[in-house]
Amino acid sequence: MGNLRGPVPDTAPVAARLEICLWRRAADRMTTAFAILSVVLVLAPLGAIFGYLVYRGIGSVNWAFLTQTPKPPGESGGGMANAIAGSVLILAIGSLMGVPLGIGAGIYLAEFGGNRFGDMVRFVSDVLNGVPSIVIGIVAYALVVLRQKHFSALAGGVALAIMMVPTITRTTEEMLLLVPNSLREAAYALGVPRWRTTLSISLRFTAFGNQYWNWRLDQPTAALPLQIFTYAISPYDDWHRQAWAGALVLIILIVSAVAAVRFVVRRGTLGGVA
Amino acid sequence: MGVGIRVENLNAWYGKTQALHEINLDVQANHATALIGPSGCGKSTFIRCLNRMHETTPEARVEGKVKIGEHDAYDGTSATKLRRRIGMVFQKPNPFPTMSIYENVAAGLKLNGYRDKRHLDGVVEKSLMSSALWEEVKDSIHKKSGASLSGGQQQRLCIARALAVEPEVLLMDEPCSALDPISTGKIEELIFELKAQYTIVIVTHNMQQAARVAEYTGFFLLGRLIEYDKTEKIFTNPSDKRTEDYITGRFG
């Protein structure tokens, strides 16, 4: 084993050299095999979940499921359209509040945060990132729900925003720090002010259920995860089927969102030119 | 047209380390001035003081007087305004990678708020011609990104980008050190032509290059300007023993 590193000495006997070669080949094979096995183990649960969701849910995903609101228990049919729309609405509210705040804080940390206050912001943001979502839910409950006296899409959006901010902040900071300093200098040397350089060069880059449609931000709003949960623990077979369908739709939405983001980002980096 | 530069009693620091000591030097308008000297002698720091890039480094500090033409660089006017009058080309080509060739050249004007497309088209073409890149890229200025060009082309793109804001002075910090001899030759020819319109200060480690392109040469050592004279004099009959030792290759 000690011979794995370093060149095989020419003076070594032929048999010894052959043995070393075999050892190296075996070690190489084992490492490769281990890497492939790890990839399979990582991907398997995702594949299994997606496959099982398709198997159980695909039969119940139809036009009615996507466009109709839930029917009372016992009646068949109906769908989760309101929950799908609610999810989108809450996500929109959360993003509207969380994204600008997170990006702003990220810019501050990357461009001006090389001091003790910056370190403090980083620490607080990491702590916030580790706070369990249920705790953030309670904060949103206290901040919004108690004041409004009922659950609302707004409350869901606020909770989501609080969860988003630390992730967006640190991601933005990391992204900006990856921008080579030579590009900043190029912009400064052209007489471009610092704020403009940051923006144009460096950045190039709890709601509770509702049976019905809701577009009013101050009213209780359905969301897919909650509706799936409610349906899954219900005693009705029809609702179980719909829960599977809802889970499938949810995961398809997530996969398409991630794919869309990747597509846009890729166009942004290569494209700039388009 | 280029303007002269007058530097009086210039001192510069990085934190507590003094990088430049009492530099006094007059740069002639519309000539090329080369700065030579071993690594770490303060040449780059010196030219970064001329366009106030030095102060973008954390804890960096400057004292003394720099006059660009009639204007005092450190009299309280904004550094960004000053930098629009002084173009800078860096050691490693640094085009904006997400921008097309056109956008790279137009960047200085666009980011400073110019929007007139016809004017920009004209400036881009003229700048690329001045940097001798136009013929090679004219069919793809919108299609190709700045980063897709070869190293030598990228450097000429960066020169075009610096020229587009119509500066009076062009600072070049070892512009050829990352380039092959053919690209280097092109840049040197370019410097010859650009002298007619701009005052050029070039930092170089290549003494032949200094001799080829510059009328005046300054020799820096340990943060001091040891000797500053006509290039010919520096390379044939230097007055200071240390200059002679350096150009004959005895140290550095």
Side-chain angles (χ1 to χ4, degrees):
Chain A
M1 281 295 275
N3 276 326
L4 276 175
R5 280 180 218 153
V8 182
D10 280 343
T11 49
V14 174
R17 280 160 64 188
L18 189 67
E19 195 188 338
I20 292 166
C21 280
L22 286 175
W23 245 117
R24 286 183 181 171
R25 199 169 299 169
D28 178 47
R29 294 258 164 90
M30 282 189 313
T31 316
T32 312
F34 181 70
I36 291 172
L37 186 71
S38 306
V39 170
V40 171
L41 284 178
V42 168
L43 290 181
L46 182 67
I49 290 171
F50 194 69
Y52 197 62
L53 280 181
V54 171
Y55 167 67
R56 295 296 298 261
I58 196 80
S60 304
V61 178
N62 50 37
W63 190 241
F65 180 81
L66 294 174
T67 52
Q68 289 182 13
T69 52
K71 291 264 167 58
E75 268 180 63
S76 70
M80 290 196 182
N82 59 330
I84 297 171
S87 278
V88 172
L89 182 67
I90 291 166
L91 183 66
I93 298 169
S95 305
L96 226 56
M97 292 187 285
V99 170
L101 212 63
I103 290 182
I107 290 175
Y108 173 80
L109 286 182
E111 304 284 333
F112 311 96
N115 47 31
R116 289 187 71 166
F117 182 69
D119 288 339
M120 207 178 79
V121 174
R122 262 176 222 111
F123 178 73
V124 170
S125 153
D126 287 348
V127 170
L128 188 58
N129 205 9
V131 173
S133 49
I134 187 80
V135 175
I136 292 172
I138 292 169
V139 171
Y141 184 85
L143 279 178
V144 188
V145 178
L146 285 186
R147 252 174 241 185
Q148 285 189 318
K149 311 256 194 292
H150 52 74
F151 295 112
S152 66
L154 186 66
V158 167
L160 192 58
I162 297 174
M163 279 188 264
M164 286 163 93
V165 163
T167 311
I168 295 174
T169 300
R170 294 310 296 268
T171 314
T172 306
E173 186 194 1
E174 298 288 329
M175 254 171 47
L176 286 175
L177 290 180
L178 284 177
V179 174
N181 206 34
S182 63
L183 293 184
R184 276 187 201 101
E185 292 214 315
Y188 293 154
L190 289 169
V192 180
R194 194 168 172 179
W195 64 269
R196 192 80 221 224
T197 302
T198 304
L199 289 183
S200 306
I201 304 297
S202 302
L203 266 183
R204 271 219 193 180
F205 330 118
T206 42
F208 263 68
N210 183 334
Q211 286 268 73
Y212 308 98
W213 291 100
N214 175 50
W215 293 109
R216 288 186 50 196
L217 306 187
D218 58 346
Q219 291 301 314
T221 308
L224 268 178
L226 181 74
Q227 193 115 345
I228 293 165
F229 177 71
T230 315
Y231 274 38
I233 60 170
S234 76
Y236 315 110
D237 279 349
D238 197 37
W239 279 21
H240 290 167
R241 277 195 294 279
Q242 291 214 352
W244 283 111
L248 180 61
V249 168
L250 181 62
I251 207 155
I252 288 173
L253 284 178
I254 292 170
V255 170
S256 2
V258 172
V261 167
R262 289 191 76 117
F263 178 72
V264 169
V265 168
R266 191 158 301 169
R267 271 184 53 133
T269 43
L270 290 180
V273 177
Chain B
M1 283 304 277
V3 293
I5 302 170
R6 166 161 291 196
V7 178
E8 285 171 19
N9 303 324
L10 186 75
N11 291 281
W13 289 264
Y14 290 99
K16 285 190 176 125
T17 318
Q18 187 163 6
L20 290 177
H21 301 262
E22 293 295 312
I23 308 289
N24 288 283
L25 177 154
D26 279 337
V27 175
Q28 300 291 319
N30 292 95
H31 286 75
T33 299
L35 304 177
I36 59 170
S39 297
C41 68
K43 323 175 282 289
S44 294
T45 306
F46 175 74
I47 68 166
R48 288 171 65 90
C49 288
L50 300 183
N51 66 344
R52 294 181 61 179
M53 287 291 284
H54 180 64
E55 65 201 61
T56 63
T57 313
E59 296 187 21
R61 195 158 60 83
V62 186
E63 264 174 28
K65 205 169 178 186
V66 174
K67 278 186 94 177
I68 308 290
E70 293 304 307
H71 299 273
D72 198 327
Y74 289 91
D75 72 347
T77 55
S78 82
T80 52
K81 261 188 195 157
L82 177 81
R83 292 186 197 130
R84 278 172 221 169
R85 300 179 52 214
I86 306 178
M88 189 166 198
V89 178
F90 297 83
Q91 186 171 354
K92 266 175 116 179
N94 54 357
F96 300 127
T98 57
M99 294 186 188
S100 67
I101 294 170
Y102 178 98
E103 288 173 318
N104 259 286
V105 181
L109 291 173
K110 269 188 162 172
L111 293 176
N112 281 314
Y114 287 84
R115 287 285 175 270
D116 180 357
K117 188 163 179 310
R118 276 177 57 196
H119 178 67
L120 283 177
D121 287 352
V123 170
V124 169
E125 181 172 343
K126 195 174 137 221
S127 306
L128 285 170
M129 279 182 165
S130 305
S131 73
L133 188 59
W134 177 253
E135 285 304 318
E136 292 161 54
V137 300
K138 64 182 173 190
D139 298 322
S140 52
I141 53 171
H142 292 287
K143 277 179 257 157
K144 276 188 168 176
S145 90
S148 69
L149 300 174
S150 75
Q153 288 175 325
Q154 285 187 17
Q155 195 61 299
R156 279 179 283 149
L157 176 63
C158 292
I159 293 173
R161 183 177 65 188
L163 297 181
V165 290
E166 298 184 332
E168 291 147 283
V169 176
L170 190 59
L171 305 176
M172 305 178 105
D173 191 356
E174 297 181 46
C176 303
S177 65
L179 304 183
D180 68 84
I182 293 168
S183 304
T184 301
K186 282 188 183 159
I187 304 265
E188 286 180 7
E189 269 173 48
L190 192 57
I191 293 172
F192 240 91
E193 284 163 29
L194 293 175
K195 270 191 270 191
Q197 281 183 63
Y198 309 92
T199 303
I200 295 177
V201 181
I202 175 172
V203 168
T204 178
H205 272 289
N206 180 331
M207 285 185 268
Q208 285 80 17
Q209 182 170 67
R212 282 193 297 265
V213 302
E215 285 85 5
Y216 295 88
T217 297
F219 171 59
F220 278 75
L221 186 63
L222 299 172
R224 290 171 207 278
L225 179 63
I226 303 298
E227 192 170 350
Y228 176 58
D229 213 322
K230 289 215 159 104
T231 302
E232 210 185 289
K233 170 110 177 11
I234 294 275
F235 284 108
T236 55
N237 184 25
S239 339
D240 196 290
K241 177 82 171 54
R242 289 167 291 184
T243 315
E244 193 182 333
D245 286 351
Y246 182 70
I247 60 167
T248 52
R250 236 163 282 178
F251 70 86

